[in-house]
Amino acid sequence: MVAGEGRRSWDKPRGSSMWSICSSLALPQRVRGGDKLDAIPQQKRNFTTLYILYSRDWRQSVGMSSHSYPLLCCQPWRKAKQMTKQTIIRKIPRKLPVQSNDNETPVFIAHGCILLEYQEGDRFNYRAVNLKTGRSVKLGSRAAKLPESLYMKVAEQMSKCAAADDWLLANAEPDAPHSRGRLEDILRTTFENILPKHGFALREKQVELAQEILDAFCGQKVSLCEAEVGTGKTYAYLLPAAFIRRGRGNSGKIDTMLGQNGTQKPIVIATSSIALQRALERDYIPTLSDFLMEDGIIKTPLTSALRKGKGNYICERRLANFAVHANAKTKAIVLPIFNGSVVDLASVKDLSPYIKRNICVDKNCSGDCPKHGRCRYTRYLAEVRRNGYDFQICNHNYLLADIIHRSKGIKPLLPDYQAIIIDEGHKFLDVARSMYGTLLSLTELCGIVKDIREITFAPGQSTAGIIRETDRILSKSQLLFQLLNNEVPDDLDDDEESERFATKIRKKTENLIHALKGNIDALLTMMESRSVIIRYAHQFSAAKRKITRINEALDTFTRHEESVYWLEQAESSSTNADFRLNALHSIPKNLGERLHRDLWSMKIPIIITSGTLSAAGSFVHIKKKTGINLVPLRRLSETTKPSPFDYVRNTLLYISENTPRPDNKDVGHIDAIADEVEKLVKASHGHAVVLFTSYKAMDMVWERIKNRSIQFPLFRLDRGGASVIERFKRSGNGVLFASGALWEGIDISGDVLSMLIIVRLPFAVPDPVSEWEKTLFDNIEDYIECVVVPDMLVKLKQGFGRLIRSETDTGCCAILDSRVNLRGPYRDKVLAALPECGVTSNIGDIWRFMCEMKAPAYFK
């Protein structure tokens, strides 16, 4: 229903007047210009689209006659197209709130814009100007003056231009691009009106982050977005991503966002943890979709596909083979899988790691499998590769595997995408080093020899040459790792937690690698000319692929000057038990350049976000290490959003003045740490995590503490002991000794963790990679300043972030490293990196803080 433009007043009811419309909607009798969506009650916004052009007060203020009352359209969207003619205002106010040139003539007003006409030569030009913002868009030109018969058509064009007031995303024609300005307005409306209606607090920093991410999307930028804990970064990137996916607001560059079938490309979200991937698929995206559907922002639900590595899915062939040889108990467990369509191993209960390893898709699975194309896994892949999904969710490894495939011209793992979001971005560098790195394992070399010797070749095939080459490969492989192990220094500090051990590829070792590669080449040539009985066809093909991969690894190590390499302890077997270090790793020295070439230079927006990306507010270190520093400045953006948590009130930082300089070989230092831990735990009444950088140091302090009179339950988290965390949570007031994984990614909210004790600043342990990085600097001081300290501060922030996980959490963080005390060289840098809060060196202050902030039940 639409009010007329005659002398009918809003203040006087008359038939089906505007007054009666306002009454039926419980609106104020006089709706002022600019009220727009806020004028409608929340519960009625789902069914109504409201457009307020101008209030009477505004018209009078700009000189419009008092009898020219505003036009207000209040109708369900399905009738909106019927109102096109009535949304045009032909009576123009004498005074306009926007600038116009002397040669411009106003034509009409529609959708919050005025159409201006001006003549240049023999052409009539037209532009739309938003009466509120002044945003101007040229609509086109004509040889003849615009006739009134085309006003409706031009008004419709104005409704879709960048100057128009925001319309809901769902109200656009299918595949119609939205202006960036319109998407910005929709984004803010969603945060300010829709999410709060569903119980979400309005956080201004979250809105700012979302707007900057939207800007990066629209500008095809590489954007580093640090969002400290509590900012709400997940929704801050999901909302603009959803609007871009559905609204295509990339400044009209629609062609870059369409797939081959004409549909929009998906957006990839890559995370580090499977927990976040599942949360995105099962919680964040469906919840957001429901909100946007309910309020008419989108017409169809948001969809996502979770992509994981092959080892997470069921293989039909291996499942059948495993069941044949399994015992009765195991058969009873796997039998239901045969009769179902489930493909994800995570969806099957009661499967042990042993069963999963034996029925999952092999990493060498390829098209030569007899069940290829007919198994549930390949059907699943065909489904998730469709372009119909809004989001493709994967981990960092999967994304980089896809990137590497594309760089080599191999079939991609993911469908073509229009944008990438890398969450938990602080872990991306380590994954990139792994994915672009090379691994040569003695276990794998011995394993491939064993696999080949188990294959039965077709009758009449000579295998003597193959057996001879496998013997040579086995003996030379063992000799190679013997030489590499001999180069590892004998005086390694046993206290160091490094898993990387320096070695040297000298001339003799290099010659051996070349010789081994020659044997691999010869073996491959022989296998190409041989055939096997059908039963071993798949095993034979898998063996050739493994040998090819080993050959590529050997080729990398023949050019070892281009890489940083080291030895690690890999899975041992009876064939290589004599070697403590049996895996040779390397990463390319030009990793940053390769990442820039393959990833950052893609002409799509890429968002890298995390709670800890910068060091003291600077992104220099992460940009240089990842090659983002090679991105042109016009395509690069950076932002840091502080946490909304009240750290000043809810957090206390204790810095010990009683511990000597860190030295795990110094008994006095270990004793002092144990004394401080005991006092701090008693002051906080338990509820503590003691965080170490060294398992050996943790062992020594643990041995001292467990024999003291501490009345709280004690737990220690060793490698792989995730169940200990759950027991600690259930204890209520326990004390958990931990290292490794607890520095990041573990969420222990509430009073269970109220005291976080950081024993030592988390400086990285020197290893071959850091030794190589050191050579890139003129002096050790610059290296420490530019690499060592920034890396430490990033990890320190990750550890500190375990303490406060919500607005209501309160607690104390204690740092026992003397390098942060009043005389310490890193005090200022540490305090600048951590959130602002109270600082003390008096343990009594901790007791008083806990008494003030905690409820009586905390101390029971």
Short mmCIF file of all heavy atoms in Angstrom, two decimals, residues 256-308:
data_model
loop_
_atom_site.label_atom_id
_atom_site.label_comp_id
_atom_site.label_asym_id
_atom_site.label_seq_id
_atom_site.Cartn_x
_atom_site.Cartn_y
_atom_site.Cartn_z
N THR A 256 36.08 -13.00 -13.61
CA THR A 256 37.07 -13.73 -12.82
C THR A 256 36.42 -14.61 -11.78
O THR A 256 37.10 -15.40 -11.15
CB THR A 256 38.02 -12.75 -12.11
OG1 THR A 256 37.27 -11.99 -11.15
CG2 THR A 256 38.69 -11.83 -13.08
N MET A 257 35.13 -14.47 -11.58
CA MET A 257 34.47 -15.19 -10.50
C MET A 257 33.55 -16.30 -11.01
O MET A 257 32.90 -16.96 -10.22
CB MET A 257 33.67 -14.21 -9.65
CG MET A 257 34.50 -13.04 -9.14
SD MET A 257 33.54 -11.86 -8.23
CE MET A 257 33.21 -12.78 -6.75
N LEU A 258 33.47 -16.48 -12.32
CA LEU A 258 32.58 -17.48 -12.88
C LEU A 258 33.35 -18.73 -13.28
O LEU A 258 34.45 -18.66 -13.81
CB LEU A 258 31.85 -16.93 -14.10
CG LEU A 258 30.89 -15.76 -13.85
CD1 LEU A 258 30.26 -15.33 -15.16
CD2 LEU A 258 29.83 -16.12 -12.84
N GLY A 259 32.77 -19.88 -12.99
CA GLY A 259 33.33 -21.13 -13.44
C GLY A 259 32.99 -21.41 -14.89
O GLY A 259 32.29 -20.63 -15.55
N GLN A 260 33.46 -22.54 -15.41
CA GLN A 260 33.25 -22.87 -16.81
C GLN A 260 31.78 -23.05 -17.13
O GLN A 260 31.35 -22.83 -18.25
CB GLN A 260 34.03 -24.13 -17.16
CG GLN A 260 35.55 -23.92 -17.12
CD GLN A 260 36.29 -25.17 -17.50
OE1 GLN A 260 35.71 -26.25 -17.66
NE2 GLN A 260 37.60 -25.06 -17.66
N ASN A 261 30.99 -23.48 -16.14
CA ASN A 261 29.58 -23.70 -16.40
C ASN A 261 28.73 -22.45 -16.14
O ASN A 261 27.52 -22.52 -16.12
CB ASN A 261 29.06 -24.86 -15.55
CG ASN A 261 29.21 -24.58 -14.07
OD1 ASN A 261 29.77 -23.55 -13.68
ND2 ASN A 261 28.74 -25.50 -13.24
N GLY A 262 29.39 -21.32 -15.94
CA GLY A 262 28.67 -20.07 -15.77
C GLY A 262 28.26 -19.77 -14.34
O GLY A 262 27.75 -18.69 -14.07
N THR A 263 28.46 -20.70 -13.43
CA THR A 263 28.14 -20.45 -12.03
C THR A 263 29.32 -19.83 -11.32
O THR A 263 30.45 -19.91 -11.78
CB THR A 263 27.76 -21.76 -11.30
OG1 THR A 263 28.89 -22.64 -11.35
CG2 THR A 263 26.58 -22.43 -11.96
N GLN A 264 29.03 -19.22 -10.20
CA GLN A 264 30.11 -18.59 -9.44
C GLN A 264 31.04 -19.62 -8.85
O GLN A 264 30.62 -20.69 -8.43
CB GLN A 264 29.52 -17.75 -8.32
CG GLN A 264 29.04 -16.39 -8.79
CD GLN A 264 29.15 -15.38 -7.68
OE1 GLN A 264 30.24 -15.00 -7.31
NE2 GLN A 264 28.02 -14.95 -7.18
N LYS A 265 32.31 -19.28 -8.79
CA LYS A 265 33.29 -20.17 -8.18
C LYS A 265 33.14 -20.12 -6.65
O LYS A 265 32.73 -19.11 -6.09
CB LYS A 265 34.70 -19.72 -8.58
CG LYS A 265 34.96 -19.74 -10.07
CD LYS A 265 36.35 -19.18 -10.37
CE LYS A 265 36.59 -19.05 -11.87
NZ LYS A 265 37.90 -18.45 -12.17
N PRO A 266 33.51 -21.21 -5.98
CA PRO A 266 33.43 -21.21 -4.51
C PRO A 266 34.54 -20.39 -3.89
O PRO A 266 35.46 -19.94 -4.56
CB PRO A 266 33.57 -22.70 -4.17
CG PRO A 266 34.40 -23.25 -5.29
CD PRO A 266 33.99 -22.49 -6.52
N ILE A 267 34.46 -20.24 -2.58
CA ILE A 267 35.51 -19.61 -1.79
C ILE A 267 36.14 -20.69 -0.92
O ILE A 267 35.43 -21.47 -0.28
CB ILE A 267 34.95 -18.47 -0.92
CG1 ILE A 267 34.50 -17.31 -1.81
CG2 ILE A 267 35.98 -18.00 0.11
CD1 ILE A 267 33.83 -16.19 -1.08
N VAL A 268 37.46 -20.76 -0.92
CA VAL A 268 38.17 -21.77 -0.14
C VAL A 268 38.50 -21.20 1.24
O VAL A 268 38.99 -20.07 1.35
CB VAL A 268 39.48 -22.20 -0.85
CG1 VAL A 268 40.33 -23.07 0.07
CG2 VAL A 268 39.15 -22.96 -2.12
N ILE A 269 38.21 -21.98 2.28
CA ILE A 269 38.62 -21.64 3.65
C ILE A 269 39.57 -22.73 4.11
O ILE A 269 39.19 -23.91 4.20
CB ILE A 269 37.43 -21.55 4.61
CG1 ILE A 269 36.40 -20.53 4.09
CG2 ILE A 269 37.90 -21.16 6.01
CD1 ILE A 269 35.14 -20.45 4.95
N ALA A 270 40.82 -22.37 4.37
CA ALA A 270 41.82 -23.33 4.81
C ALA A 270 42.22 -23.04 6.25
O ALA A 270 42.55 -21.90 6.58
CB ALA A 270 43.07 -23.26 3.91
N THR A 271 42.14 -24.05 7.10
CA THR A 271 42.51 -23.90 8.51
C THR A 271 43.61 -24.90 8.86
O THR A 271 43.93 -25.79 8.08
CB THR A 271 41.30 -24.12 9.43
OG1 THR A 271 41.07 -25.53 9.59
CG2 THR A 271 40.06 -23.47 8.89
N SER A 272 44.13 -24.78 10.06
CA SER A 272 45.15 -25.72 10.51
C SER A 272 44.54 -26.91 11.23
O SER A 272 44.99 -28.04 11.07
CB SER A 272 46.14 -25.01 11.45
OG SER A 272 47.05 -25.91 12.02
N SER A 273 43.51 -26.68 12.03
CA SER A 273 42.95 -27.74 12.87
C SER A 273 41.68 -28.32 12.28
O SER A 273 40.85 -27.61 11.71
CB SER A 273 42.66 -27.19 14.28
OG SER A 273 41.66 -26.20 14.21
N ILE A 274 41.52 -29.63 12.44
CA ILE A 274 40.29 -30.30 12.01
C ILE A 274 39.11 -29.83 12.85
O ILE A 274 37.97 -29.80 12.37
CB ILE A 274 40.45 -31.83 12.09
CG1 ILE A 274 39.24 -32.54 11.47
CG2 ILE A 274 40.65 -32.28 13.52
CD1 ILE A 274 39.06 -32.31 10.00
N ALA A 275 39.38 -29.42 14.11
CA ALA A 275 38.30 -28.95 14.96
C ALA A 275 37.64 -27.71 14.37
O ALA A 275 36.40 -27.60 14.35
CB ALA A 275 38.83 -28.65 16.37
N LEU A 276 38.43 -26.77 13.88
CA LEU A 276 37.86 -25.56 13.28
C LEU A 276 37.18 -25.89 11.95
O LEU A 276 36.14 -25.31 11.63
CB LEU A 276 38.95 -24.51 13.08
CG LEU A 276 38.51 -23.18 12.46
CD1 LEU A 276 37.32 -22.59 13.21
CD2 LEU A 276 39.66 -22.19 12.41
N GLN A 277 37.74 -26.80 11.18
CA GLN A 277 37.09 -27.20 9.92
C GLN A 277 35.70 -27.76 10.18
O GLN A 277 34.74 -27.42 9.50
CB GLN A 277 37.95 -28.23 9.21
CG GLN A 277 39.28 -27.71 8.71
CD GLN A 277 40.28 -28.81 8.44
OE1 GLN A 277 39.92 -29.89 7.99
NE2 GLN A 277 41.54 -28.56 8.75
N ARG A 278 35.59 -28.64 11.17
CA ARG A 278 34.29 -29.22 11.50
C ARG A 278 33.33 -28.16 12.03
O ARG A 278 32.14 -28.18 11.72
CB ARG A 278 34.47 -30.34 12.53
CG ARG A 278 35.13 -31.59 11.96
CD ARG A 278 35.44 -32.59 13.06
NE ARG A 278 36.05 -33.80 12.52
CZ ARG A 278 36.69 -34.69 13.24
NH1 ARG A 278 36.83 -34.51 14.56
NH2 ARG A 278 37.22 -35.78 12.68
N ALA A 279 33.87 -27.24 12.86
CA ALA A 279 33.02 -26.18 13.40
C ALA A 279 32.47 -25.29 12.27
O ALA A 279 31.30 -24.88 12.30
CB ALA A 279 33.80 -25.34 14.40
N LEU A 280 33.30 -24.99 11.28
CA LEU A 280 32.84 -24.20 10.14
C LEU A 280 31.72 -24.93 9.40
O LEU A 280 30.69 -24.34 9.06
CB LEU A 280 34.00 -23.92 9.19
CG LEU A 280 35.01 -22.86 9.64
CD1 LEU A 280 36.28 -22.95 8.81
CD2 LEU A 280 34.41 -21.47 9.53
N GLU A 281 31.92 -26.22 9.16
CA GLU A 281 30.95 -26.99 8.37
C GLU A 281 29.66 -27.23 9.14
O GLU A 281 28.57 -27.12 8.56
CB GLU A 281 31.57 -28.32 7.97
CG GLU A 281 30.64 -29.18 7.12
CD GLU A 281 31.04 -30.64 7.11
OE1 GLU A 281 31.66 -31.11 8.09
OE2 GLU A 281 30.72 -31.33 6.13
N ARG A 282 29.75 -27.53 10.42
CA ARG A 282 28.58 -27.98 11.18
C ARG A 282 27.94 -26.88 12.01
O ARG A 282 26.78 -27.02 12.41
CB ARG A 282 28.98 -29.13 12.11
CG ARG A 282 29.58 -30.32 11.37
CD ARG A 282 30.09 -31.37 12.35
NE ARG A 282 30.80 -32.45 11.67
CZ ARG A 282 31.37 -33.47 12.29
NH1 ARG A 282 31.30 -33.56 13.61
NH2 ARG A 282 32.01 -34.42 11.60
N ASP A 283 28.67 -25.81 12.31
CA ASP A 283 28.15 -24.80 13.22
C ASP A 283 28.10 -23.42 12.58
O ASP A 283 27.03 -22.87 12.32
CB ASP A 283 29.02 -24.77 14.48
CG ASP A 283 28.50 -23.78 15.52
OD1 ASP A 283 27.33 -23.35 15.40
OD2 ASP A 283 29.23 -23.45 16.47
N TYR A 284 29.28 -22.85 12.30
CA TYR A 284 29.34 -21.45 11.86
C TYR A 284 28.52 -21.20 10.59
O TYR A 284 27.66 -20.31 10.55
CB TYR A 284 30.79 -21.03 11.62
CG TYR A 284 31.59 -20.80 12.87
CD1 TYR A 284 32.56 -21.72 13.28
CD2 TYR A 284 31.40 -19.66 13.64
CE1 TYR A 284 33.31 -21.51 14.43
CE2 TYR A 284 32.15 -19.44 14.79
CZ TYR A 284 33.10 -20.37 15.18
OH TYR A 284 33.83 -20.17 16.31
N ILE A 285 28.78 -21.97 9.55
CA ILE A 285 28.11 -21.70 8.26
C ILE A 285 26.62 -22.00 8.32
O ILE A 285 25.81 -21.17 7.86
CB ILE A 285 28.82 -22.46 7.12
CG1 ILE A 285 30.23 -21.88 6.91
CG2 ILE A 285 28.02 -22.40 5.83
CD1 ILE A 285 31.07 -22.62 5.90
N PRO A 286 26.18 -23.15 8.87
CA PRO A 286 24.72 -23.37 8.96
C PRO A 286 24.02 -22.33 9.82
O PRO A 286 22.91 -21.89 9.47
CB PRO A 286 24.63 -24.77 9.60
CG PRO A 286 25.92 -25.43 9.26
CD PRO A 286 26.94 -24.34 9.28
N THR A 287 24.64 -21.93 10.93
CA THR A 287 24.01 -20.91 11.79
C THR A 287 23.86 -19.60 11.05
O THR A 287 22.79 -18.97 11.05
CB THR A 287 24.85 -20.71 13.07
OG1 THR A 287 24.92 -21.95 13.79
CG2 THR A 287 24.24 -19.64 13.95
N LEU A 288 24.94 -19.16 10.42
CA LEU A 288 24.89 -17.92 9.66
C LEU A 288 23.87 -18.01 8.53
O LEU A 288 23.12 -17.05 8.27
CB LEU A 288 26.27 -17.61 9.10
CG LEU A 288 26.44 -16.27 8.37
CD1 LEU A 288 26.16 -15.12 9.31
CD2 LEU A 288 27.84 -16.16 7.80
N SER A 289 23.82 -19.13 7.88
CA SER A 289 22.86 -19.33 6.79
C SER A 289 21.43 -19.18 7.28
O SER A 289 20.60 -18.52 6.64
CB SER A 289 23.08 -20.71 6.17
OG SER A 289 22.17 -20.94 5.12
N ASP A 290 21.13 -19.76 8.44
CA ASP A 290 19.77 -19.65 9.00
C ASP A 290 19.40 -18.21 9.27
O ASP A 290 18.28 -17.76 8.96
CB ASP A 290 19.67 -20.47 10.29
CG ASP A 290 19.71 -21.97 10.05
OD1 ASP A 290 19.51 -22.39 8.88
OD2 ASP A 290 19.97 -22.72 11.01
N PHE A 291 20.32 -17.44 9.85
CA PHE A 291 20.05 -16.04 10.16
C PHE A 291 19.76 -15.25 8.88
O PHE A 291 18.80 -14.48 8.81
CB PHE A 291 21.24 -15.41 10.88
CG PHE A 291 21.53 -15.99 12.23
CD1 PHE A 291 22.71 -15.70 12.89
CD2 PHE A 291 20.62 -16.83 12.85
CE1 PHE A 291 22.99 -16.24 14.14
CE2 PHE A 291 20.89 -17.39 14.10
CZ PHE A 291 22.08 -17.08 14.74
N LEU A 292 20.62 -15.43 7.88
CA LEU A 292 20.49 -14.66 6.64
C LEU A 292 19.24 -15.07 5.87
O LEU A 292 18.61 -14.24 5.22
CB LEU A 292 21.73 -14.83 5.78
CG LEU A 292 23.06 -14.34 6.40
CD1 LEU A 292 24.21 -14.56 5.43
CD2 LEU A 292 22.97 -12.87 6.80
N MET A 293 18.90 -16.36 5.92
CA MET A 293 17.67 -16.82 5.26
C MET A 293 16.45 -16.24 5.95
O MET A 293 15.51 -15.76 5.31
CB MET A 293 17.61 -18.34 5.30
CG MET A 293 18.56 -19.04 4.35
SD MET A 293 17.87 -19.21 2.69
CE MET A 293 16.56 -20.38 3.01
N GLU A 294 16.45 -16.28 7.27
CA GLU A 294 15.30 -15.81 8.03
C GLU A 294 15.02 -14.34 7.78
O GLU A 294 13.86 -13.92 7.72
CB GLU A 294 15.55 -16.05 9.52
CG GLU A 294 14.40 -15.65 10.43
CD GLU A 294 14.72 -15.92 11.89
OE1 GLU A 294 15.50 -16.85 12.16
OE2 GLU A 294 14.18 -15.19 12.74
N ASP A 295 16.07 -13.56 7.61
CA ASP A 295 15.88 -12.12 7.41
C ASP A 295 15.91 -11.71 5.94
O ASP A 295 15.97 -10.53 5.63
CB ASP A 295 16.96 -11.35 8.18
CG ASP A 295 16.65 -11.28 9.67
OD1 ASP A 295 16.98 -12.25 10.37
OD2 ASP A 295 16.05 -10.29 10.10
N GLY A 296 15.87 -12.70 5.06
CA GLY A 296 15.73 -12.38 3.64
C GLY A 296 16.97 -11.87 2.97
O GLY A 296 16.90 -11.34 1.86
N ILE A 297 18.13 -12.00 3.59
CA ILE A 297 19.35 -11.53 2.96
C ILE A 297 19.75 -12.44 1.81
O ILE A 297 20.25 -12.00 0.78
CB ILE A 297 20.50 -11.45 3.99
CG1 ILE A 297 20.11 -10.52 5.14
CG2 ILE A 297 21.79 -10.96 3.35
CD1 ILE A 297 19.93 -9.09 4.74
N ILE A 298 19.56 -13.74 1.99
CA ILE A 298 19.82 -14.72 0.93
C ILE A 298 18.57 -15.56 0.73
O ILE A 298 17.73 -15.66 1.62
CB ILE A 298 21.03 -15.63 1.26
CG1 ILE A 298 20.81 -16.38 2.57
CG2 ILE A 298 22.31 -14.81 1.30
CD1 ILE A 298 21.91 -17.37 2.91
N LYS A 299 18.45 -16.15 -0.45
CA LYS A 299 17.25 -16.92 -0.76
C LYS A 299 17.43 -18.42 -0.52
O LYS A 299 16.46 -19.12 -0.24
CB LYS A 299 16.87 -16.70 -2.23
CG LYS A 299 16.40 -15.30 -2.54
CD LYS A 299 16.05 -15.17 -4.02
CE LYS A 299 15.56 -13.78 -4.34
NZ LYS A 299 15.24 -13.63 -5.79
N THR A 300 18.64 -18.92 -0.67
CA THR A 300 18.91 -20.35 -0.50
C THR A 300 20.02 -20.53 0.53
O THR A 300 20.86 -19.65 0.69
CB THR A 300 19.33 -21.00 -1.83
OG1 THR A 300 20.47 -20.31 -2.34
CG2 THR A 300 18.19 -20.94 -2.84
N PRO A 301 20.06 -21.66 1.22
CA PRO A 301 21.05 -21.86 2.28
C PRO A 301 22.48 -21.83 1.76
O PRO A 301 22.76 -22.23 0.63
CB PRO A 301 20.70 -23.24 2.84
CG PRO A 301 19.30 -23.49 2.42
CD PRO A 301 19.11 -22.79 1.12
N LEU A 302 23.40 -21.37 2.60
CA LEU A 302 24.82 -21.46 2.29
C LEU A 302 25.26 -22.92 2.38
O LEU A 302 24.80 -23.66 3.26
CB LEU A 302 25.64 -20.62 3.28
CG LEU A 302 25.39 -19.11 3.25
CD1 LEU A 302 26.11 -18.44 4.42
CD2 LEU A 302 25.84 -18.50 1.94
N THR A 303 26.12 -23.34 1.50
CA THR A 303 26.56 -24.73 1.46
C THR A 303 28.07 -24.81 1.55
O THR A 303 28.78 -23.89 1.14
CB THR A 303 26.10 -25.42 0.18
OG1 THR A 303 26.59 -24.69 -0.96
CG2 THR A 303 24.58 -25.48 0.11
N SER A 304 28.56 -25.91 2.09
CA SER A 304 30.00 -26.10 2.22
C SER A 304 30.35 -27.57 2.03
O SER A 304 29.54 -28.46 2.31
CB SER A 304 30.49 -25.62 3.59
OG SER A 304 29.92 -26.40 4.62
N ALA A 305 31.56 -27.82 1.54
CA ALA A 305 32.09 -29.17 1.39
C ALA A 305 33.39 -29.24 2.17
O ALA A 305 34.28 -28.41 1.99
CB ALA A 305 32.33 -29.50 -0.08
N LEU A 306 33.50 -30.22 3.06
CA LEU A 306 34.72 -30.41 3.84
C LEU A 306 35.65 -31.35 3.10
O LEU A 306 35.30 -32.49 2.81
CB LEU A 306 34.38 -30.98 5.22
CG LEU A 306 35.56 -31.25 6.16
CD1 LEU A 306 36.38 -29.98 6.37
CD2 LEU A 306 35.07 -31.80 7.49
N ARG A 307 36.83 -30.86 2.76
CA ARG A 307 37.81 -31.63 1.99
C ARG A 307 38.96 -32.04 2.90
O ARG A 307 39.58 -31.21 3.54
CB ARG A 307 38.34 -30.79 0.82
CG ARG A 307 37.24 -30.16 -0.04
CD ARG A 307 36.41 -31.22 -0.76
NE ARG A 307 37.24 -32.03 -1.62
CZ ARG A 307 37.59 -31.69 -2.86
NH1 ARG A 307 37.17 -30.53 -3.36
NH2 ARG A 307 38.35 -32.48 -3.60
N LYS A 308 39.24 -33.33 2.90
CA LYS A 308 40.34 -33.86 3.72
C LYS A 308 41.22 -34.76 2.87
O LYS A 308 40.87 -35.13 1.76
CB LYS A 308 39.77 -34.63 4.92
CG LYS A 308 38.98 -33.75 5.88
CD LYS A 308 38.56 -34.49 7.14
CE LYS A 308 37.40 -35.42 6.91
NZ LYS A 308 36.89 -36.00 8.17
#
